[in-house]
Amino acid sequence: MRNSILRILVLLLIALPLGAQAVHAADKTDKLYLHLKDGRTALNNKDYEKSVKELSAFMEKPNLLGDYALLWRAKAYDALLEREKAISDLRQLKNEYPNSPVINNALQYEIKIETKSHPERAILLIEKYLKDNPGDNILRLAYAKMLMENDREQDSRREFTRVYLTGGPSSKEAAKHIDAESLSPSAILTRAKNLIGKFRYKEAENELRANLYRAPEALRQQYIQNIAMALFKQKSYKEAAEYFRKTGMKYLEARSLYRAGLYAKFHEKAEALDPNSDPKAAELILIRGLYYRRNADTDMALSIFDSLKGNQFVGEEARWHIGWTYFLTGRYKDSYRVFSSLHAKHGGSKYLYWIARSLELNKEDPTALYKQLAIGDDFYAFLSNYKLGSQPALIPHAEQQKTQGQPKGHEELKRLAILLELNIDDAIKTESLYIARHAQKYPEAAMLQAAIMLNEASMYRHSILLAGNLQYSPRTHWLLYPYGHKATVDEAARRFAINPLLILSVIREESRFQEDAFSPAGAIGLMQLMPQTAQKYSGAVEETIDGESDIYNIRKNILIGSYYVSRLVQEMHCVPTALASYNAGEHVVYKWLEAWQYKAIDEFIEDIPYDETAKYVKRVLKTYFQYTRESNPDGAAVSFAFDCQAPSPASR
């Protein structure tokens, strides 16, 4: 592994006292921990006798990773059918390392071994484990099967039912062991709610519909409400509105009518609500104003926004929309007045930027305001640099390596350094997640050191996670915005003529560099590709996609995702609209562009109708801005993000 990690390891092991487990020289340390590495490698290669030998040699001397050695040796003993020795190792691990990051792994493996020879012990262990980890349905399913095998049928049915009601991946197997049709209406409702929570909307709808006839009066309304919610989530808005009407859920009925395009009925429902007594009612009235503005009825829109500007729930937002309506209709003196009032009361770079734009379009000089904004680090700072034609301030790379001395007294960091040097990926992930979850007990210097080590080892997600617990500074900037998977990103940028920093920005905001990321909508991997998108463009990048596992492949995911981003940018001649298309779909974005004829790209970004998409575009552009600050930024890097041309009809 990288020499820098080796240097950190040596410094940590020499500089920090280890008490009774002191290691006095780097060469002895290297030799000792090679036994651990070789033992793990032998275990992976199914050379179990060698694994036991190497791990035993490792444990003969004081060390910092005895818990990992005990776990791995127990697995080797189990494979050699020496189960009592395996159990002994696991019990020693639990006794000597009660706070180990692998304590749950040890308990799970002990259960696995005991299940083979002492089921009664395994059952007790499972019950103890499930008490602390009630959401582990895989183990609960195994527990239910063990109870069944031990003639505890009633207890077994109870556990199978509990798994089934969760609606999770294990529920399908649990269904084989229960009579689902005999479940109580209350249990069916619980399962349906869990299915909705796991985005399995159609299943929830079907099960509720099938059992609605036998739901008692006390539960009938809840059945109908959850059918309505399942329909809403499936975008069956018209039918959802009817079901919400039956339950008296006026807010959701109105939202469904709006989404269904039944605007006359929406206005009728919204007008009957009191915006001063209910925040949801106030939100609906605000939506009415947006509807009229987007349909060019400016007077009606302003009238509605004006009626809400003193509202306790949406007053600030209503005042923003008054100013925004003035701006979009060319009333720049009025928009300046409203934005100035908002900024005086609330502050914020958003209001300040649109004050500057109002001045600019009113033929006044906004330079001072743009300069004030440009020294920031958010989306509006990026826009202001573009307006000024200036270069973002460079973040010095040397700052990353400057720490306030070596962290003292934190054994976990020494453990992490050793695992990084040994290059044992799963153990590195386990250890770094443990450190991140206990971040509050470490000083900043220790957290920074751990984040740097993980970044050096290409563990970008974990490094970002740790650095996110630190106060932002130039030293943490490079950890928060890593140039991850550089070789593949650079290849994609070269092949598809796209800025590599834009690729990195999309990866960071889509997945935070989590290679196995999976979204509720089914998007996969670093760049969150939908399976159909991956299949559609795999040929263009000369890669084969034979299944989901191929989409998770780092190289394939980056190449296909980068090609898709590049194609959108080339087709739309505009980075922000391409990003909006990547998130919401290009056909939707074209409709927005055609409907509202924006005069400038910043207007489009601020006015994106989908809140999620608007935030996404701003996040990616802010991240791109931060990446440009690492690479001797120039005017081209900034103008690339905001220089836009109208897409030609032939390209659609």
Side-chain angles (χ1 to χ4, degrees), residues 449-504:
Q449 187 68 74
I452 289 172
M453 289 190 289
L454 290 165
N455 178 277
E456 287 287 324
S458 302
M459 306 287 290
Y460 304 115
R461 173 172 170 74
H462 296 76
S463 179
I464 291 171
L465 189 63
L466 290 176
N469 288 298
L470 304 174
Q471 183 175 355
Y472 175 81
S473 71
R475 295 189 306 170
T476 61
H477 181 97
W478 289 82
L479 302 171
L480 293 168
Y481 299 94
Y483 203 128
H485 310 293
K486 188 176 189 306
T488 305
V489 168
D490 287 349
E491 177 191 351
R494 185 174 60 254
R495 286 177 59 182
F496 311 131
I498 189 75
N499 191 313
L501 302 184
L502 184 61
I503 299 172
L504 288 167

Short mmCIF file of all heavy atoms in Angstrom, two decimals, residues 449-504:
data_model
loop_
_atom_site.label_atom_id
_atom_site.label_comp_id
_atom_site.label_asym_id
_atom_site.label_seq_id
_atom_site.Cartn_x
_atom_site.Cartn_y
_atom_site.Cartn_z
N GLN A 449 -6.85 12.70 11.35
CA GLN A 449 -5.85 11.71 11.01
C GLN A 449 -6.49 10.45 10.41
O GLN A 449 -6.03 9.92 9.40
CB GLN A 449 -5.05 11.33 12.26
CG GLN A 449 -3.87 10.42 11.97
CD GLN A 449 -2.79 11.13 11.18
OE1 GLN A 449 -2.06 11.95 11.70
NE2 GLN A 449 -2.70 10.85 9.90
N ALA A 450 -7.58 10.01 11.01
CA ALA A 450 -8.27 8.83 10.50
C ALA A 450 -8.81 9.08 9.10
O ALA A 450 -8.73 8.21 8.21
CB ALA A 450 -9.41 8.43 11.45
N ALA A 451 -9.39 10.26 8.88
CA ALA A 451 -9.95 10.59 7.57
C ALA A 451 -8.86 10.62 6.51
O ALA A 451 -9.05 10.15 5.37
CB ALA A 451 -10.67 11.93 7.62
N ILE A 452 -7.70 11.18 6.84
CA ILE A 452 -6.59 11.22 5.89
C ILE A 452 -6.15 9.81 5.53
O ILE A 452 -5.90 9.49 4.36
CB ILE A 452 -5.42 12.03 6.47
CG1 ILE A 452 -5.77 13.52 6.52
CG2 ILE A 452 -4.16 11.84 5.63
CD1 ILE A 452 -4.76 14.37 7.25
N MET A 453 -6.05 8.94 6.53
CA MET A 453 -5.63 7.56 6.27
C MET A 453 -6.60 6.86 5.33
O MET A 453 -6.19 6.16 4.39
CB MET A 453 -5.52 6.78 7.59
CG MET A 453 -4.35 7.21 8.46
SD MET A 453 -4.07 6.09 9.87
CE MET A 453 -5.48 6.47 10.89
N LEU A 454 -7.89 7.06 5.54
CA LEU A 454 -8.89 6.40 4.70
C LEU A 454 -8.87 6.97 3.29
O LEU A 454 -9.03 6.24 2.31
CB LEU A 454 -10.27 6.55 5.33
CG LEU A 454 -10.47 5.72 6.59
CD1 LEU A 454 -11.69 6.18 7.36
CD2 LEU A 454 -10.60 4.24 6.25
N ASN A 455 -8.69 8.29 3.18
CA ASN A 455 -8.60 8.89 1.86
C ASN A 455 -7.41 8.34 1.09
O ASN A 455 -7.52 8.02 -0.10
CB ASN A 455 -8.47 10.41 2.01
CG ASN A 455 -8.33 11.14 0.69
OD1 ASN A 455 -7.24 11.23 0.15
ND2 ASN A 455 -9.43 11.65 0.18
N GLU A 456 -6.27 8.20 1.77
CA GLU A 456 -5.08 7.65 1.13
C GLU A 456 -5.30 6.21 0.66
O GLU A 456 -4.69 5.76 -0.32
CB GLU A 456 -3.90 7.70 2.10
CG GLU A 456 -3.33 9.09 2.33
CD GLU A 456 -2.56 9.58 1.13
OE1 GLU A 456 -1.89 8.77 0.46
OE2 GLU A 456 -2.62 10.79 0.85
N ALA A 457 -6.17 5.51 1.36
CA ALA A 457 -6.45 4.11 1.01
C ALA A 457 -7.60 3.97 0.03
O ALA A 457 -8.09 2.86 -0.21
CB ALA A 457 -6.76 3.32 2.28
N SER A 458 -8.06 5.10 -0.55
CA SER A 458 -9.16 5.11 -1.52
C SER A 458 -10.50 4.69 -0.91
O SER A 458 -11.41 4.27 -1.62
CB SER A 458 -8.84 4.22 -2.73
OG SER A 458 -7.65 4.65 -3.36
N MET A 459 -10.63 4.82 0.41
CA MET A 459 -11.89 4.55 1.09
C MET A 459 -12.63 5.88 1.20
O MET A 459 -12.82 6.46 2.27
CB MET A 459 -11.64 3.95 2.47
CG MET A 459 -10.74 2.73 2.47
SD MET A 459 -11.57 1.26 1.82
CE MET A 459 -12.73 0.92 3.13
N TYR A 460 -13.11 6.38 0.04
CA TYR A 460 -13.58 7.75 -0.03
C TYR A 460 -14.85 7.99 0.77
O TYR A 460 -14.99 9.02 1.44
CB TYR A 460 -13.80 8.15 -1.50
CG TYR A 460 -12.58 7.97 -2.34
CD1 TYR A 460 -12.54 7.03 -3.37
CD2 TYR A 460 -11.42 8.70 -2.10
CE1 TYR A 460 -11.41 6.84 -4.14
CE2 TYR A 460 -10.28 8.52 -2.86
CZ TYR A 460 -10.29 7.58 -3.88
OH TYR A 460 -9.15 7.39 -4.63
N ARG A 461 -15.79 7.07 0.70
CA ARG A 461 -17.04 7.27 1.43
C ARG A 461 -16.77 7.40 2.93
O ARG A 461 -17.33 8.27 3.60
CB ARG A 461 -18.00 6.12 1.16
CG ARG A 461 -19.25 6.18 2.03
CD ARG A 461 -20.28 5.14 1.64
NE ARG A 461 -21.34 5.06 2.61
CZ ARG A 461 -22.31 5.95 2.75
NH1 ARG A 461 -22.33 7.03 2.00
NH2 ARG A 461 -23.26 5.80 3.66
N HIS A 462 -15.92 6.53 3.45
CA HIS A 462 -15.64 6.54 4.87
C HIS A 462 -14.84 7.77 5.26
O HIS A 462 -15.04 8.34 6.34
CB HIS A 462 -14.92 5.26 5.26
CG HIS A 462 -15.74 4.02 5.07
ND1 HIS A 462 -15.95 3.48 3.83
CD2 HIS A 462 -16.42 3.25 5.94
CE1 HIS A 462 -16.73 2.41 3.95
NE2 HIS A 462 -17.03 2.26 5.22
N SER A 463 -13.95 8.21 4.39
CA SER A 463 -13.18 9.42 4.66
C SER A 463 -14.10 10.64 4.71
O SER A 463 -13.98 11.49 5.60
CB SER A 463 -12.12 9.61 3.57
OG SER A 463 -11.38 10.79 3.78
N ILE A 464 -15.05 10.73 3.76
CA ILE A 464 -16.02 11.83 3.75
C ILE A 464 -16.86 11.80 5.02
O ILE A 464 -17.14 12.83 5.63
CB ILE A 464 -16.91 11.76 2.50
CG1 ILE A 464 -16.10 12.06 1.24
CG2 ILE A 464 -18.08 12.72 2.61
CD1 ILE A 464 -16.86 11.80 -0.05
N LEU A 465 -17.26 10.59 5.43
CA LEU A 465 -18.08 10.43 6.63
C LEU A 465 -17.36 10.98 7.85
O LEU A 465 -17.95 11.70 8.67
CB LEU A 465 -18.41 8.95 6.82
CG LEU A 465 -19.43 8.59 7.89
CD1 LEU A 465 -20.79 9.18 7.55
CD2 LEU A 465 -19.55 7.07 8.00
N LEU A 466 -16.07 10.64 7.99
CA LEU A 466 -15.30 11.14 9.13
C LEU A 466 -15.07 12.64 9.03
O LEU A 466 -15.23 13.37 10.01
CB LEU A 466 -13.97 10.40 9.22
CG LEU A 466 -14.02 8.93 9.61
CD1 LEU A 466 -12.63 8.32 9.55
CD2 LEU A 466 -14.59 8.77 11.02
N ALA A 467 -14.67 13.12 7.85
CA ALA A 467 -14.40 14.55 7.68
C ALA A 467 -15.65 15.39 7.89
O ALA A 467 -15.57 16.54 8.31
CB ALA A 467 -13.82 14.81 6.29
N GLY A 468 -16.81 14.80 7.61
CA GLY A 468 -18.06 15.52 7.82
C GLY A 468 -18.35 15.82 9.27
O GLY A 468 -19.20 16.66 9.58
N ASN A 469 -17.67 15.12 10.19
CA ASN A 469 -17.82 15.39 11.61
C ASN A 469 -16.92 16.52 12.09
O ASN A 469 -16.96 16.88 13.26
CB ASN A 469 -17.51 14.12 12.42
CG ASN A 469 -18.59 13.07 12.29
OD1 ASN A 469 -19.73 13.31 12.67
ND2 ASN A 469 -18.25 11.92 11.74
N LEU A 470 -16.08 17.04 11.19
CA LEU A 470 -15.13 18.07 11.56
C LEU A 470 -15.60 19.44 11.07
O LEU A 470 -16.35 19.54 10.11
CB LEU A 470 -13.76 17.76 10.94
CG LEU A 470 -13.15 16.41 11.29
CD1 LEU A 470 -11.87 16.19 10.49
CD2 LEU A 470 -12.87 16.29 12.77
N GLN A 471 -15.13 20.48 11.73
CA GLN A 471 -15.42 21.82 11.25
C GLN A 471 -14.73 22.03 9.91
O GLN A 471 -13.56 21.67 9.74
CB GLN A 471 -14.92 22.85 12.27
CG GLN A 471 -15.25 24.29 11.90
CD GLN A 471 -14.84 25.26 12.99
OE1 GLN A 471 -14.40 24.85 14.05
NE2 GLN A 471 -14.98 26.55 12.72
N TYR A 472 -15.46 22.61 8.95
CA TYR A 472 -14.89 22.79 7.62
C TYR A 472 -13.67 23.71 7.67
O TYR A 472 -13.66 24.73 8.36
CB TYR A 472 -15.92 23.38 6.65
CG TYR A 472 -15.32 23.68 5.29
CD1 TYR A 472 -15.16 22.68 4.36
CD2 TYR A 472 -14.87 24.96 4.99
CE1 TYR A 472 -14.58 22.94 3.12
CE2 TYR A 472 -14.29 25.24 3.76
CZ TYR A 472 -14.15 24.22 2.83
OH TYR A 472 -13.57 24.47 1.63
N SER A 473 -12.65 23.34 6.94
CA SER A 473 -11.44 24.14 6.82
C SER A 473 -10.74 23.71 5.54
O SER A 473 -11.10 22.69 4.94
CB SER A 473 -10.52 23.91 8.02
OG SER A 473 -9.95 22.60 7.95
N PRO A 474 -9.73 24.46 5.10
CA PRO A 474 -8.97 24.01 3.93
C PRO A 474 -8.39 22.61 4.11
O PRO A 474 -8.24 21.87 3.15
CB PRO A 474 -7.86 25.07 3.80
CG PRO A 474 -8.47 26.31 4.38
CD PRO A 474 -9.32 25.82 5.52
N ARG A 475 -8.09 22.25 5.36
CA ARG A 475 -7.52 20.91 5.59
C ARG A 475 -8.53 19.81 5.34
O ARG A 475 -8.17 18.71 4.93
CB ARG A 475 -6.99 20.82 7.03
CG ARG A 475 -5.82 21.76 7.29
CD ARG A 475 -5.20 21.48 8.62
NE ARG A 475 -6.16 21.51 9.71
CZ ARG A 475 -5.91 21.10 10.95
NH1 ARG A 475 -4.72 20.64 11.24
NH2 ARG A 475 -6.83 21.17 11.88
N THR A 476 -9.81 20.08 5.63
CA THR A 476 -10.82 19.05 5.42
C THR A 476 -11.39 19.07 4.00
O THR A 476 -12.02 18.10 3.57
CB THR A 476 -11.99 19.21 6.41
OG1 THR A 476 -12.60 20.49 6.21
CG2 THR A 476 -11.50 19.10 7.84
N HIS A 477 -11.18 20.19 3.29
CA HIS A 477 -11.77 20.33 1.95
C HIS A 477 -11.40 19.16 1.05
O HIS A 477 -12.25 18.59 0.36
CB HIS A 477 -11.31 21.64 1.32
CG HIS A 477 -11.88 21.87 -0.04
ND1 HIS A 477 -12.99 22.64 -0.26
CD2 HIS A 477 -11.51 21.40 -1.27
CE1 HIS A 477 -13.29 22.64 -1.54
NE2 HIS A 477 -12.40 21.91 -2.18
N TRP A 478 -10.12 18.80 1.05
CA TRP A 478 -9.65 17.74 0.16
C TRP A 478 -10.20 16.38 0.54
O TRP A 478 -10.24 15.46 -0.29
CB TRP A 478 -8.12 17.72 0.15
CG TRP A 478 -7.56 18.90 -0.56
CD1 TRP A 478 -7.37 20.16 -0.05
CD2 TRP A 478 -7.15 18.95 -1.92
NE1 TRP A 478 -6.87 20.99 -1.03
CE2 TRP A 478 -6.71 20.27 -2.19
CE3 TRP A 478 -7.09 18.00 -2.94
CZ2 TRP A 478 -6.23 20.65 -3.43
CZ3 TRP A 478 -6.61 18.40 -4.17
CH2 TRP A 478 -6.19 19.71 -4.41
N LEU A 479 -10.60 16.24 1.77
CA LEU A 479 -11.21 14.98 2.21
C LEU A 479 -12.68 14.93 1.83
O LEU A 479 -13.21 13.87 1.48
CB LEU A 479 -11.06 14.83 3.72
CG LEU A 479 -9.62 14.87 4.24
CD1 LEU A 479 -9.60 14.94 5.77
CD2 LEU A 479 -8.84 13.65 3.77
N LEU A 480 -13.34 16.07 1.91
CA LEU A 480 -14.76 16.14 1.57
C LEU A 480 -15.01 16.05 0.07
O LEU A 480 -16.08 15.61 -0.36
CB LEU A 480 -15.36 17.44 2.11
CG LEU A 480 -15.43 17.56 3.63
CD1 LEU A 480 -15.75 19.00 4.04
CD2 LEU A 480 -16.48 16.60 4.20
N TYR A 481 -14.02 16.47 -0.72
CA TYR A 481 -14.17 16.48 -2.19
C TYR A 481 -13.00 15.72 -2.82
O TYR A 481 -12.11 16.32 -3.43
CB TYR A 481 -14.24 17.91 -2.70
CG TYR A 481 -15.42 18.67 -2.15
CD1 TYR A 481 -15.29 19.47 -1.01
CD2 TYR A 481 -16.69 18.56 -2.72
CE1 TYR A 481 -16.37 20.15 -0.48
CE2 TYR A 481 -17.77 19.23 -2.20
CZ TYR A 481 -17.61 20.02 -1.08
OH TYR A 481 -18.70 20.69 -0.56
N PRO A 482 -12.98 14.41 -2.69
CA PRO A 482 -11.83 13.63 -3.18
C PRO A 482 -11.90 13.39 -4.69
O PRO A 482 -12.99 13.33 -5.28
CB PRO A 482 -11.98 12.30 -2.43
CG PRO A 482 -13.47 12.16 -2.24
CD PRO A 482 -13.98 13.56 -2.00
N TYR A 483 -10.74 13.26 -5.30
CA TYR A 483 -10.66 12.88 -6.72
C TYR A 483 -10.63 11.35 -6.76
O TYR A 483 -9.61 10.73 -7.02
CB TYR A 483 -9.40 13.47 -7.36
CG TYR A 483 -9.49 13.63 -8.87
CD1 TYR A 483 -9.20 14.85 -9.46
CD2 TYR A 483 -9.86 12.57 -9.69
CE1 TYR A 483 -9.27 15.01 -10.84
CE2 TYR A 483 -9.94 12.71 -11.06
CZ TYR A 483 -9.64 13.94 -11.64
OH TYR A 483 -9.72 14.09 -13.01
N GLY A 484 -11.79 10.76 -6.50
CA GLY A 484 -11.88 9.30 -6.38
C GLY A 484 -11.89 8.59 -7.72
O GLY A 484 -12.38 9.13 -8.71
N HIS A 485 -11.38 7.38 -7.73
CA HIS A 485 -11.37 6.53 -8.92
C HIS A 485 -10.81 7.30 -10.12
O HIS A 485 -11.40 7.32 -11.21
CB HIS A 485 -12.77 6.00 -9.22
CG HIS A 485 -13.44 5.38 -8.02
ND1 HIS A 485 -12.97 4.22 -7.46
CD2 HIS A 485 -14.50 5.77 -7.28
CE1 HIS A 485 -13.74 3.91 -6.41
NE2 HIS A 485 -14.66 4.84 -6.29
N LYS A 486 -9.69 7.95 -9.89
CA LYS A 486 -9.12 8.92 -10.84
C LYS A 486 -8.90 8.32 -12.22
O LYS A 486 -9.23 8.95 -13.24
CB LYS A 486 -7.80 9.48 -10.30
CG LYS A 486 -7.23 10.63 -11.13
CD LYS A 486 -5.98 11.20 -10.47
CE LYS A 486 -5.53 12.48 -11.17
NZ LYS A 486 -5.33 12.34 -12.61
N ALA A 487 -8.32 7.13 -12.29
CA ALA A 487 -7.99 6.55 -13.60
C ALA A 487 -9.25 6.38 -14.45
O ALA A 487 -9.26 6.73 -15.64
CB ALA A 487 -7.27 5.21 -13.42
N THR A 488 -10.32 5.86 -13.85
CA THR A 488 -11.55 5.64 -14.61
C THR A 488 -12.24 6.95 -14.94
O THR A 488 -12.77 7.12 -16.05
CB THR A 488 -12.50 4.72 -13.82
OG1 THR A 488 -11.83 3.51 -13.49
CG2 THR A 488 -13.74 4.40 -14.63
N VAL A 489 -12.28 7.87 -13.99
CA VAL A 489 -12.90 9.18 -14.24
C VAL A 489 -12.17 9.90 -15.37
O VAL A 489 -12.79 10.46 -16.29
CB VAL A 489 -12.89 10.03 -12.96
CG1 VAL A 489 -13.26 11.49 -13.28
CG2 VAL A 489 -13.88 9.46 -11.94
N ASP A 490 -10.84 9.88 -15.35
CA ASP A 490 -10.07 10.54 -16.40
C ASP A 490 -10.28 9.86 -17.76
O ASP A 490 -10.36 10.52 -18.80
CB ASP A 490 -8.58 10.54 -16.05
CG ASP A 490 -8.26 11.53 -14.94
OD1 ASP A 490 -9.13 12.35 -14.60
OD2 ASP A 490 -7.14 11.47 -14.40
N GLU A 491 -10.39 8.54 -17.75
CA GLU A 491 -10.66 7.81 -19.00
C GLU A 491 -12.02 8.22 -19.57
O GLU A 491 -12.16 8.49 -20.77
CB GLU A 491 -10.63 6.31 -18.76
CG GLU A 491 -10.97 5.50 -20.01
CD GLU A 491 -11.21 4.02 -19.72
OE1 GLU A 491 -10.95 3.57 -18.59
OE2 GLU A 491 -11.66 3.30 -20.65
N ALA A 492 -13.02 8.26 -18.70
CA ALA A 492 -14.36 8.65 -19.15
C ALA A 492 -14.37 10.07 -19.69
O ALA A 492 -14.98 10.35 -20.72
CB ALA A 492 -15.35 8.51 -17.99
N ALA A 493 -13.69 10.97 -18.99
CA ALA A 493 -13.64 12.37 -19.43
C ALA A 493 -12.98 12.48 -20.80
O ALA A 493 -13.45 13.25 -21.66
CB ALA A 493 -12.88 13.20 -18.40
N ARG A 494 -11.93 11.73 -20.99
CA ARG A 494 -11.20 11.77 -22.27
C ARG A 494 -12.04 11.16 -23.40
O ARG A 494 -12.16 11.74 -24.48
CB ARG A 494 -9.89 11.00 -22.11
CG ARG A 494 -8.97 11.04 -23.33
CD ARG A 494 -7.65 10.37 -23.01
NE ARG A 494 -7.80 8.97 -22.65
CZ ARG A 494 -7.67 8.50 -21.41
NH1 ARG A 494 -7.41 9.32 -20.41
NH2 ARG A 494 -7.83 7.21 -21.15
N ARG A 495 -12.67 10.03 -23.14
CA ARG A 495 -13.42 9.35 -24.18
C ARG A 495 -14.69 10.09 -24.58
O ARG A 495 -15.08 10.10 -25.74
CB ARG A 495 -13.79 7.93 -23.71
CG ARG A 495 -12.63 6.96 -23.70
CD ARG A 495 -13.06 5.60 -23.16
NE ARG A 495 -14.13 4.99 -23.95
CZ ARG A 495 -14.70 3.82 -23.65
NH1 ARG A 495 -14.30 3.15 -22.58
NH2 ARG A 495 -15.67 3.35 -24.41
N PHE A 496 -15.34 10.73 -23.61
CA PHE A 496 -16.65 11.32 -23.88
C PHE A 496 -16.63 12.85 -23.86
O PHE A 496 -17.69 13.48 -23.87
CB PHE A 496 -17.67 10.79 -22.87
CG PHE A 496 -17.65 9.29 -22.73
CD1 PHE A 496 -17.60 8.69 -21.49
CD2 PHE A 496 -17.63 8.47 -23.86
CE1 PHE A 496 -17.56 7.30 -21.36
CE2 PHE A 496 -17.58 7.09 -23.74
CZ PHE A 496 -17.54 6.51 -22.49
N ALA A 497 -15.42 13.42 -23.84
CA ALA A 497 -15.26 14.88 -23.94
C ALA A 497 -16.10 15.61 -22.90
O ALA A 497 -16.89 16.51 -23.22
CB ALA A 497 -15.61 15.35 -25.36
N ILE A 498 -15.93 15.22 -21.65
CA ILE A 498 -16.67 15.84 -20.55
C ILE A 498 -15.68 16.21 -19.46
O ILE A 498 -14.68 15.52 -19.24
CB ILE A 498 -17.77 14.88 -20.02
CG1 ILE A 498 -18.68 15.58 -19.02
CG2 ILE A 498 -17.15 13.64 -19.41
CD1 ILE A 498 -19.65 16.52 -19.66
N ASN A 499 -15.94 17.29 -18.77
CA ASN A 499 -15.06 17.73 -17.69
C ASN A 499 -15.05 16.67 -16.58
O ASN A 499 -16.11 16.32 -16.05
CB ASN A 499 -15.55 19.07 -17.14
CG ASN A 499 -14.56 19.72 -16.20
OD1 ASN A 499 -14.02 19.07 -15.32
ND2 ASN A 499 -14.33 21.01 -16.40
N PRO A 500 -13.88 16.17 -16.18
CA PRO A 500 -13.83 15.14 -15.13
C PRO A 500 -14.38 15.63 -13.80
O PRO A 500 -14.90 14.82 -13.01
CB PRO A 500 -12.33 14.81 -15.02
CG PRO A 500 -11.62 16.00 -15.58
CD PRO A 500 -12.51 16.51 -16.66
N LEU A 501 -14.28 16.94 -13.54
CA LEU A 501 -14.79 17.46 -12.28
C LEU A 501 -16.32 17.38 -12.22
O LEU A 501 -16.90 17.24 -11.14
CB LEU A 501 -14.34 18.91 -12.08
CG LEU A 501 -12.83 19.14 -12.08
CD1 LEU A 501 -12.52 20.61 -11.77
CD2 LEU A 501 -12.12 18.22 -11.09
N LEU A 502 -16.98 17.45 -13.37
CA LEU A 502 -18.43 17.28 -13.39
C LEU A 502 -18.79 15.83 -13.08
O LEU A 502 -19.75 15.56 -12.35
CB LEU A 502 -19.00 17.71 -14.74
CG LEU A 502 -20.53 17.66 -14.85
CD1 LEU A 502 -21.17 18.60 -13.84
CD2 LEU A 502 -20.98 18.01 -16.26
N ILE A 503 -18.03 14.89 -13.61
CA ILE A 503 -18.26 13.47 -13.30
C ILE A 503 -18.13 13.25 -11.80
O ILE A 503 -18.99 12.61 -11.17
CB ILE A 503 -17.26 12.58 -14.06
CG1 ILE A 503 -17.42 12.74 -15.57
CG2 ILE A 503 -17.43 11.11 -13.66
CD1 ILE A 503 -16.35 12.04 -16.38
N LEU A 504 -17.05 13.76 -11.22
CA LEU A 504 -16.84 13.61 -9.78
C LEU A 504 -17.98 14.23 -8.98
O LEU A 504 -18.43 13.67 -7.97
CB LEU A 504 -15.52 14.26 -9.38
CG LEU A 504 -14.25 13.55 -9.81
CD1 LEU A 504 -13.05 14.46 -9.62
CD2 LEU A 504 -14.05 12.25 -9.02
#
